[in-house]
Structures are given as structure tokens and as C-alpha cells.
């Protein structure tokens, strides 16, 4: 009987984690589509008892000194998206964290200030 109960519990947890991953994929797919990404945090509620929080931050890769690109002069602007999905589980809460990078064309309305340039 204990084996069956443990098996059912593991199946429920796996289903919850799968649902969290599907929701995360949908949310991450929507961020940066139709609008420019802006650094900051936002949150909301999803179907069922799931909630989410996302943090968007600029991402600067570590470039080797032999890189042909000067820091800050990239053809794309990178953003790191850190998403946490939470849902109630028994007397507590479960959560899963998902991270990805998103590349965007630099904003043409923001002037580029190369490293070492005055101003």
C-alpha cells in the first residue's frame, strides 16, 4: 500500500512539474515579442494555482581579450530572463526556476557610448 501511495505522489509531482515547464515555456516565448525587453521584474497568476515572477536584466558576456568586439559594441543586445513558477503543494509550496538569454537588436533611440569615450 505504501508503494502505491508513493507512486501516486511521485506521479502527481511529475505532472505538476511538467505543467510548470509548459507554462514557463509559454511565458518565456511571449517576453520580448512585439515590444522591447526592459530590465525589471514583473509577476502574475496563471491557470490553476500557479504564479510566476520574471526578472529581466541586461547580459554582458565575458569576452576574451582577443575578441574582435569591443565591450558594449555588439550587433545584438542580450537580456537574461530568470523566471520562477510557484504552486501550492500540500502544506508548502513548490517552485521551479527557468533561465534563458534573449538577443535583440540594439535600441536605435539609445546612443552608444563606447568604452573610454567621454560624455
Amino acid at each position: 500500500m505504501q508503494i502505491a501511495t508513493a507512486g501516486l505522489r511521485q506521479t502527481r509531482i511529475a505532472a505538476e512539474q511538467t505543467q510548470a515547464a509548459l507554462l514557463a515555456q509559454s511565458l518565456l516565448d511571449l517576453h520580448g515579442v512585439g515590444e522591447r525587453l526592459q530590465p525589471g521584474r514583473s509577476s502574475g497568476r496563471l491557470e490553476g494555482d500557479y504564479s510566476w515572477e520574471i526578472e529581466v536584466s541586461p547580459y554582458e558576456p565575458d569576452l576574451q581579450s582577443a575578441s574582435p568586439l569591443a565591450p558594449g559594441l555588439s550587433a545584438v543586445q542580450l537580456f537574461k530572463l530568470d523566471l520562477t513558477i510557484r504552486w501550492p503543494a500540500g502544506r508548502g509550496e513548490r517552485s521551479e526556476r527557468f533561465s534563458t538569454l534573449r538577443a535583440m537588436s540594439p535600441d536605435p533611440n539609445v546612443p552608444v557610448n563606447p568604452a573610454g569615450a567621454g560624455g
Side-chain angles (χ1 to χ4, degrees):
M1 186 64 153
Q2 289 178 358
I3 293 173
T5 302
L8 288 173
R9 184 170 50 86
Q10 291 300 325
T11 300
R12 181 179 42 81
I13 291 170
E16 290 171 351
Q17 290 172 325
T18 299
Q19 181 66 16
L22 291 171
L23 293 170
Q25 182 177 8
S26 294
L27 280 168
L28 290 172
D29 284 348
L30 292 175
H31 272 76
V33 174
E35 62 183 32
R36 295 201 61 78
L37 287 172
Q38 296 294 324
R41 289 179 183 238
S42 58
S43 61
R45 299 206 58 79
L46 296 164
E47 61 187 60
D49 291 329
Y50 290 85
S51 63
W52 60 272
E53 180 178 5
I54 192 164
E55 181 175 2
V56 178
S57 57
Y59 180 80
E60 285 289 333
D62 293 331
L63 299 175
Q64 301 291 330
S65 59
S67 171
L69 294 176
L73 294 179
S74 177
V76 296
Q77 186 175 14
L78 294 176
F79 289 91
K80 183 176 181 188
L81 284 67
D82 289 314
L83 174 66
T84 302
I85 304 284
R86 291 185 179 84
W87 66 96
R91 295 182 189 150
E93 179 180 83
R94 292 195 191 281
S95 67
E96 291 289 331
R97 185 176 168 124
F98 305 87
S99 295
T100 190
L101 292 177
R102 182 70 36 89
M104 299 191 80
S105 298
D107 188 344
N109 299 316
V110 176
V112 175
N113 187 13

